Amino acid sequence: MSKLIEFDEKQQVFHLHNQNISYLFSVEKGGTLSHLYFGKRVRSYHGGLTYPKLDRGFSGNLPGDLDRTFSRDTLPKEYSGAGEMDFHSPATIVRQANGSNAVFLHYAGYEIAPGKPKLPGLPAAYVENADEAETLTVKLIDDLTGLEYDLLYTIYRDRDVIARSVKVANKGKESVHLEKVASMQMDLVGQDLEAITLPGAHVNERHPQRSRLVQGRHVFESRRGTSSHQMNPFVALVDPKTDEFAGDAWGLALVYSGNHEFELEKDQLNQLHITVGINEYNFSWKLNPGDSFQTPEALLVYSASGLNGMSQTFHSLILDRVMRSKFKKAPRPILVNNWEATYFDFTEDKLKEIVDEAKELGIEMFVLDDGWFGHRDDDYSSLGDWQVFAKKFPQGLKHFADYVHGQGLKFGLWFEPEMISYDSDLYRTHPDYLMQVPGRKPSPARNQYLLDLGRKEVRDNIFDQMTKILDGGSIDYIKWDMNRHLSDIYESDLPADQQGEVYHRYVLGLYDLFERLVDRYPDILLEGCSGGGGRFDIGMAYYCPQIWASDNSDAIARLVIQYGTSLVYPQSMMTSHVSVSPNEQNGRITPFDTRAAVAMCGDLGYELDLTKMSDEDKAAVKKQVADYKQIRELTQYGKFYTLKAPLDSNEAAWMTVSDDRNEAIVTTVEIMSYAQPYLTKTKLAGLDPDKDYEDLATGQVYGGDELMNLGFYDPTQPRKDFTAKMYHFKAVDQH
Ligand code: DGJ
């Protein structure tokens, strides 16, 4: 096996490389690490990026060294400490007993090991055997405090990704407070890049935003305690010319479900200073002598083939080496969820009618959403009381689950385990479980409050309640929801000087609950959800192979949401349902087949009252379900290409291609209809240029090269708004 990581003693340069990528950094004067390069593979490095020695005014020098041409301020960084002669945002800030925040980190050695270590308490990318990756650990030390920073870098042999994280150990004699510990830092010089970020809102998640970076500090972050609808933990840096198919793209994503911070600081020399990690807002972690702290992992992807290349690297990494679930590559069941059909207003008999209809239509799973527990008839009560609501299920939940199974469907159940209602037995028995600041009234959101998940006792209570429901063995799937963000941050078990730990402890508590759940119930398929796609992140992917992408199920709104999501996350992670028209979130009226075509981009489901549908629509659903079963392996797990991004455009198109390039499903959408339409074309990607492919609907055969270079005209009929068309191509020699 060839080496993936080398250290050149003479040049003092680390070189991490595989067939496609190289990552280089050096050790400079004063034990300073300096970033050199991350991009397309180079065979070896001969010093072309040695940082020029210049005396730059107001960028001072190393302590005790009068060399005016060496400054940590201007040198491209790899991991910097506060208080050094460096005016950029530091990677780490440490408050010490004497009130100082300064550290001076210097290089103190390295180790290279096969494989990739697990990160205690945190989800992270993994390896299945030690040969597939190597991990470099570089040690930085601050002499005065005795803090040791282990910078971990893993490079995979066959994936264009570097995983970075940091472990800080207090080897000193005094306690310190970590006020900031980034997972990674990297400076890029002489590259004029744009940033693509994924901001959004509830029912409007992950709307890609591409911006030029002017001088100054740009921060893309969440302070909501979760990864959030408002800013996904991801940034891509791209050349201004980069598009879906060509150009350089660097994707940075954090494997974390809490407050995050992506800092892009373009400095006075036009150098881009990048720092990614847990948000320093309200973060302060007490590190006693002998203790250590592990940061979440940052994933750094490089693509020389535009955004599609970047996304495909993320997709396969997340599917193959982040998700743990046995369902990660399994055909995802077509489900019907009763939420938009009934909201809280249902009886067992009403649900049985939906189940019966679902069976007729070939649907494979019924998901019982909110309202089955405590005495929950609206969103004012019962969160925290995970016992069945006898009024709705007089013979118990198992009785209903058995009915669903008897009809040949799987049974899924909704939980919102992190929450508590004032009107709940849990609150009446344990008012202290509710997270709140002593002496202050906590803020409600959707009439509900947070549990103090940092406390083991609280987690045990919720887990025990859940096991009582789950041990019955009748549950095939869980939808884990979370319908508010964190406020009133305080943990009653912690002393005053550790209250800065609460946000992160909450996330660690959440991961602990998930760990216990997936360990005990490996046969249950987990779906993540947070008021739609409010916690769509790679940390959650570790536990939940699928996530409800948005409460907005309008097909046209979903085009952008799903495109934004697909920049990082594999399409099988994205659940996507057909709902009624006019849409309940935005009132838009769309054709039924367009709603199905857009939902088939992810894991298809239905979120409507099947019993209220016309016979014509029922026949349509039956056909959609039957057709989807034929193609879902390809749509869910084929290589995903965005052909036309639906941004400022009247069109959208995407496709998935089988690994052997023998089969592809293509979907095109025309948004508005025009009386005198301009003709538009769709060109395919990822096919074998030397093969011929048949369009299975028409029998027409095209060359792969023809489909990719010439393409075909998009339909001009039917003349109506919001039309979609799906194509299925198969290589002719495969018949
Ligand atoms: C928000 C979710 O996104 C919806 O799908 C539904 O489960 C509701 N919560 C239930 O309260």
Side-chain angles (χ1 to χ4, degrees):
M1 284 283 171
S2 59
K3 282 191 193 163
L4 298 172
I5 302 175
E6 279 149 312
F7 182 58
D8 180 333
E9 290 283 349
K10 196 157 154 262
Q11 296 189 94
Q12 295 280 294
V13 167
F14 290 98
H15 187 181
L16 295 81
H17 56 79
N18 60 24
Q19 291 292 324
N20 297 328
I21 58 170
S22 280
Y23 188 105
L24 289 151
F25 62 100
S26 59
V27 185
E28 304 286 339
K29 210 197 242 207
T32 311
L33 294 188
S34 180
H35 186 76
L36 290 169
Y37 175 76
F38 177 37
K40 206 178 256 183
R41 165 82 204 261
V42 291
R43 279 177 290 122
S44 52
Y45 173 69
H46 297 96
L49 294 182
T50 303
Y51 198 75
K53 293 199 170 300
L54 293 172
D55 178 359
R56 304 270 201 183
F58 292 87
S59 287
N61 317 111
L62 290 177
D65 184 344
L66 296 182
D67 177 0
R68 291 172 55 150
T69 67
F70 185 91
S71 172
R72 282 194 170 188
D73 189 35
T74 55
L75 196 73
K77 273 152 273 292
E78 192 66 23
Y79 204 81
S80 66
E84 300 174 354
M85 170 54 84
D86 172 9
F87 301 100
H88 298 81
S89 190
T92 186
I93 304 173
V94 183
R95 186 159 45 87
Q96 296 143 57
N98 65 2
S100 163
N101 277 343
V103 286
F104 184 88
L105 298 176
H106 68 86
Y107 173 73
Y110 74 95
E111 265 177 28
I112 297 171
K116 181 174 192 297
K118 288 192 164 180
L119 304 187
L122 288 165
Y126 56 84
V127 292
E128 282 191 348
N129 63 68
D131 287 345
E132 62 185 70
E134 279 178 15
T135 297
L136 164 70
T137 305
V138 174
K139 194 174 281 301
L140 299 179
I141 289 184
D142 176 48
D143 291 330
L144 192 64
T145 56
L147 289 177
E148 296 192 4
Y149 287 69
D150 284 349
L151 311 190
L152 275 73
Y153 299 78
T154 299
I155 181 163
Y156 284 86
R157 195 171 296 280
D158 296 319
R159 300 175 188 277
D160 300 345
V161 62
I162 306 278
R164 287 189 61 179
S165 72
V166 176
K167 182 178 153 200
V168 189
N170 186 350
K171 301 277 174 76
K173 294 200 169 55
E174 285 184 355
S175 300
V176 297
H177 282 86
L178 303 174
E179 305 286 313
K180 180 177 184 183
V181 213
S183 300
M184 66 147 292
Q185 195 172 62
M186 169 172 88
D187 282 15
L188 304 178
V189 182
Q191 289 168 270
D192 188 22
L193 301 176
E194 295 177 346
I196 299 176
T197 52
L198 294 175
H202 177 227
V203 296
N204 226 18
E205 297 87 339
R206 293 173 295 286
H207 275 51
Q209 172 176 272
R210 184 162 176 161
S211 40
R212 228 191 112 218
L213 294 170
V214 293
Q215 287 191 2
R217 186 165 157 267
H218 312 264
V219 182
F220 303 94
E221 62 174 356
S222 167
R223 297 173 172 215
R224 293 169 171 267
T226 72
S227 46
S228 86
H229 313 78
Q230 285 73 11
M231 191 64 70
N232 200 255
F234 163 79
V235 165
L237 294 162
V238 294
D239 187 86
K241 292 202 203 77
T242 295
D243 62 19
E244 298 298 335
F245 291 98
D248 288 325
W250 291 264
L252 311 174
L254 199 62
V255 187
Y256 191 56
S257 310
N259 284 344
H260 56 83
E261 185 175 28
F262 287 67
E263 297 173 81
L264 305 177
E265 187 176 356
K266 197 155 192 189
D267 70 11
Q268 75 278 14
L269 303 172
N270 254 6
Q271 301 185 169
L272 183 62
H273 178 65
I274 305 161
T275 311
V276 174
I278 294 180
N279 200 321
E280 65 206 89
Y281 165 74
N282 230 325
F283 174 84
S284 175
W285 193 274
K286 187 173 185 189
L287 206 61
N288 291 318
D291 285 355
S292 60
F293 179 86
Q294 172 65 54
T295 73
E297 180 162 273
L299 299 171
L300 292 67
V301 165
Y302 169 72
S303 158
S305 51
L307 295 174
N308 274 315
M310 176 198 76
S311 305
Q312 288 161 2
T313 300
F314 274 119
H315 293 184
S316 70
L317 180 77
I318 293 171
L319 264 180
D320 297 339
R321 293 294 180 267
V322 174
M323 289 179 184
R324 301 155 63 190
S325 166
K326 66 184 250 192
F327 300 102
K328 66 182 186 177
K329 289 280 181 75
R332 302 298 169 81
I334 304 168
L335 65 85
V336 60
N337 177 305
N338 74 306
W339 179 242
E340 288 193 27
T342 63
Y343 295 102
F344 293 106
D345 184 16
F346 58 83
T347 59
E348 186 172 359
D349 287 343
K350 168 70 198 167
L351 299 182
K352 281 180 174 170
E353 287 172 22
I354 299 180
V355 173
D356 295 348
E357 205 58 69
K359 179 191 175 186
E360 285 302 306
L361 302 179
I363 290 172
E364 299 161 313
M365 179 157 74
F366 175 81
V367 177
L368 174 55
D369 210 281
D370 197 351
W372 61 267
F373 52 93
H375 60 276
R376 190 152 160 107
D377 275 328
D378 54 36
D379 58 21
Y380 284 84
S381 83
S382 304
L383 291 167
D385 293 349
W386 300 107
Q387 300 96 36
V388 70
F389 189 0
K391 182 182 91 180
K392 289 182 181 170
F393 297 97
Q395 297 175 78
L397 192 63
K398 184 156 186 325
H399 178 260
F400 177 60
D402 288 348
Y403 182 82
V404 177
H405 286 142
Q407 293 296 73
L409 275 78
K410 293 184 187 307
F411 180 57
L413 192 61
W414 180 97
F415 284 95
E416 195 174 0
E418 299 158 69
M419 297 296 155
I420 184 165
S421 307
Y422 270 155
D423 180 5
S424 66
D425 289 344
L426 187 68
Y427 183 73
R428 285 182 279 274
T429 332
H430 299 288
D432 60 306
Y433 283 10
L434 189 150
M435 192 189 289
Q436 58 188 314
V437 179
R440 295 186 189 279
K441 265 202 169 141
S443 299
R446 206 198 188 202
N447 310 308
Q448 64 194 53
Y449 302 86
L450 280 155
L451 285 169
D452 194 346
L453 272 203
R455 288 169 61 189
K456 183 165 180 307
E457 179 191 349
V458 176
R459 301 196 296 273
D460 287 349
N461 181 302
I462 296 300
F463 188 66
D464 288 349
Q465 289 195 56
M466 289 178 80
T467 55
K468 292 206 173 81
I469 300 278
L470 300 175
D471 281 347
S474 310
I475 316 288
D476 303 297
Y477 155 111
I478 290 175
K479 177 176 173 186
W480 179 306
D481 203 349
M482 189 217 195
N483 285 300
R484 60 160 293 165
H485 288 146
L486 276 64
S487 68
D488 307 283
I489 300 304
Y490 194 86
E491 191 176 316
S492 51
D493 277 359
L494 290 176
D497 69 344
Q498 286 186 261
Q499 291 300 329
E501 300 176 11
V502 175
Y503 274 120
H504 184 56
R505 282 185 184 274
Y506 183 92
V507 181
L508 294 178
L510 174 73
Y511 290 150
D512 174 59
L513 255 183
F514 268 113
E515 280 293 328
R516 294 201 227 170
L517 201 66
V518 298
D519 277 358
R520 182 151 164 168
Y521 306 104
D523 297 331
I524 294 181
L525 170 61
L526 275 178
E527 172 162 309
C529 175
S530 173
R535 203 154 52 182
F536 211 118
D537 61 66
I538 307 181
M540 292 310 283
Y542 190 70
Y543 305 105
C544 303
Q546 56 190 57
I547 296 183
W548 178 224
S550 178
D551 276 345
N552 190 342
S553 52
D554 167 56
I556 300 306
R558 275 286 185 126
L559 291 176
V560 180
I561 295 171
Q562 294 181 177
Y563 166 65
T565 307
S566 78
L567 281 178
V568 192
Y569 307 97
Q571 68 272 21
S572 62
M573 195 172 153
M574 201 158 59
T575 43
S576 201
H577 295 173
V578 175
S579 59
V580 290
S581 176
N583 181 270
E584 300 205 349
Q585 288 80 35
N586 65 10
R588 187 179 276 130
I589 296 172
T590 50
F592 202 52
D593 54 352
T594 299
R595 282 178 268 152
V598 173
M600 285 185 198
C601 175
D603 305 320
L604 174 70
Y606 291 83
E607 187 105 8
L608 39 72
D609 191 342
L610 298 174
T611 66
K612 291 193 181 141
M613 286 169 66
S614 66
D615 287 346
E616 193 191 343
D617 281 354
K618 279 185 199 163
V621 172
K622 199 165 189 168
K623 180 157 182 348
Q624 288 159 8
V625 165
D627 289 348
Y628 185 67
K629 286 178 184 168
Q630 300 302 314
I631 59 169
R632 74 176 143 189
E633 199 185 327
L634 191 49
T635 57
Q636 291 173 357
Y637 298 110
K639 191 179 265 194
F640 186 90
Y641 289 88
T642 293
L643 303 175
K644 297 179 194 174
L647 301 176
D648 306 320
S649 163
N650 194 44
E651 299 153 61
W654 61 90
M655 69 183 284
T656 53
V657 187
S658 61
D659 288 345
D660 58 11
R661 298 193 291 170
N662 281 331
E663 213 175 339
I665 302 287
V666 181
T667 308
T668 65
V669 181
E670 297 290 307
I671 300 175
M672 301 311 289
S673 161
Y674 292 98
Q676 194 62 273
Y678 296 157
L679 294 184
T680 58
K681 291 181 224 168
T682 296
K683 292 187 199 174
L684 307 193
L687 302 177
D688 184 337
D690 297 325
K691 282 193 173 153
D692 288 333
Y693 293 85
E694 182 184 335
D695 175 343
L696 296 190
T698 61
Q700 178 65 52
V701 173
Y702 302 89
D705 53 352
E706 190 183 355
L707 287 169
M708 294 193 288
N709 297 328
L710 277 67
F712 48 78
Y713 284 124
D714 294 318
T716 49
Q717 299 292 339
R719 203 62 69 73
K720 62 177 178 180
D721 289 341
F722 316 127
T723 54
K725 183 159 168 112
M726 291 180 76
Y727 303 83
H728 189 167
F729 291 97
K730 216 169 196 175
V732 277
D733 59 3
Q734 296 306 306
H735 286 292

